[in-house]
Each structure stands twice: as C-alpha cells, then as structure tokens.
Amino acid sequence: MDEAVETAIRLFHARGYDAVGVAELGAELGIKPPSFYAAFGSKAGLFERALHRYAAGEANIFARAQAEGGGVAAVIERTLMLAARIYPERNGVAGCLVLDGARNSADPEACALAEALRRTGISAIRDFIAGEAPERAGALGDFVAIAMRGMSAAARDGADEATLTAFAAMASGAFRRELAAEG
C-alpha cells in the first residue's frame, strides 16, 4: 500500500490529477481495476491518500521552516527560500502537489481534497503569524500563500532555482516590511 501511494504521488505530482487515469494507475501498481477500487475506493480516494502522505512529509516546507525556530519573519523567509529550492523541476516533477495537483481539474472531489489541505496550510501560517501580528495575520498569511502558489506555478512553467530564490528574497523583504509596519 505504501508503494502504491508513493507511485500515485509521483504520477499526480508530475502530470496532475486529470492527466492520470485509473488504467494507468492500475498498470503502474500492477493491479486490475477491481483490485484498484477495492483498495482505494476511487481515483479520488487514492489522490486523497497521496495528498496526505505528501503533505505530512518533507513537502510541508512551512512545518520544516517552523521547526528550526525563530520569529515570524525568519520562519517565513526560510519557508520561501525552501520553496525556491524544492519547487524547481527534479526528475520530471516541479512545483507542489497540494498547490498544483488538482489545478484546473474537472473533478470537484479532487479540487475539494486539495483545497482542504491548502486551507489547512494557510491556517497554520496565519496562526503562526498571529503570534506577532494578530491584527494582520490574515492578510500576511494570504501574502505568503499567494507567493508560494505563484512560485509553484512558476516552477511548473520552468522557473529555475536561481529565479525562484531571487523572488523569495524579494518576497521575504516585502513580508518583513509589512510585518514591521504592524506597529
């Protein structure tokens, strides 16, 4: 089961939810459709497992940045810099599965699954920012979330690490200025 979820992560991350079919998933996993449905319930069921595994691991860059400690500005800067290192294409995969795996999907269930994890991530960022800037945590959290979505999309469009690092540095500077304007 773990290997199946890892395979699904790789496929969904590389090509997006809609571009990966049940037949392809079954072939990659070495199982026939009845076994696939018995194991995962649906393609969306496997996508949900893949999203949760992905988000619980090294891909949760905010949690990784936060674990190193420090104030809000330092953690946000680490988050953006880590995104700049992780998001560029490696082995045919770029961007973030949670942010981009269901982008433009025609499947409302897949979109809802990804959106739920995005909202959880944004809430964690806002809650952390609220420790220093409670009045503006929503706006500052949205700034970080939009920056990360943009970086993920740019990486999928071919932006390299140097380009994303330059953006992350500028975004971090803007974040610091906005945080300082708090009071």
Side-chain angles (χ1 to χ4, degrees), residues 47-177:
F47 185 59
E48 181 175 23
R49 287 186 188 191
L51 284 171
H52 284 282
R53 168 84 55 85
Y54 179 85
E58 290 188 6
N60 189 335
I61 58 177
F62 174 67
R64 289 172 58 187
Q66 194 177 19
E68 292 182 34
V72 168
V75 170
I76 296 304
E77 180 174 12
R78 272 197 305 274
T79 299
L80 294 171
M81 290 299 185
L82 189 52
R85 285 197 309 272
I86 290 175
Y87 288 174
E89 183 177 338
R90 286 180 177 75
N91 302 319
V93 177
C96 172
L97 175 62
V98 172
L99 299 177
D100 286 314
R103 184 180 304 276
N104 300 321
S105 176
D107 186 315
E109 186 177 6
C111 291
L113 291 167
E115 182 62 22
L117 282 178
R118 281 193 294 271
R119 285 185 182 169
T120 298
I122 292 169
S123 291
I125 291 168
R126 285 180 184 150
D127 291 348
F128 180 69
I129 293 169
E132 287 184 28
E135 305 83 26
R136 296 196 47 226
L140 291 169
D142 288 345
F143 175 88
V144 174
I146 291 167
M148 291 177 69
R149 285 188 88 164
M151 291 173 72
S152 180
R156 291 185 73 80
D157 288 342
D160 62 12
E161 186 173 341
T163 301
L164 294 176
T165 297
F167 173 82
M170 287 186 273
S172 296
F175 182 87
R176 282 182 188 277
R177 285 188 298 278

Side-chain angles (χ1 to χ4, degrees), residues 3-5 7-12 15 17 19-44 46-47:
E3 279 186 41
V5 174
T7 297
I9 288 171
R10 180 179 47 80
L11 291 171
F12 290 134
R15 299 202 331 263
Y17 181 83
V20 179
V22 171
E24 179 183 8
L25 286 164
E28 285 281 331
L29 303 176
I31 59 176
K32 300 219 181 288
S35 297
F36 176 88
Y37 290 110
F40 304 109
S42 65
K43 178 178 154 183
L46 178 56
F47 185 59

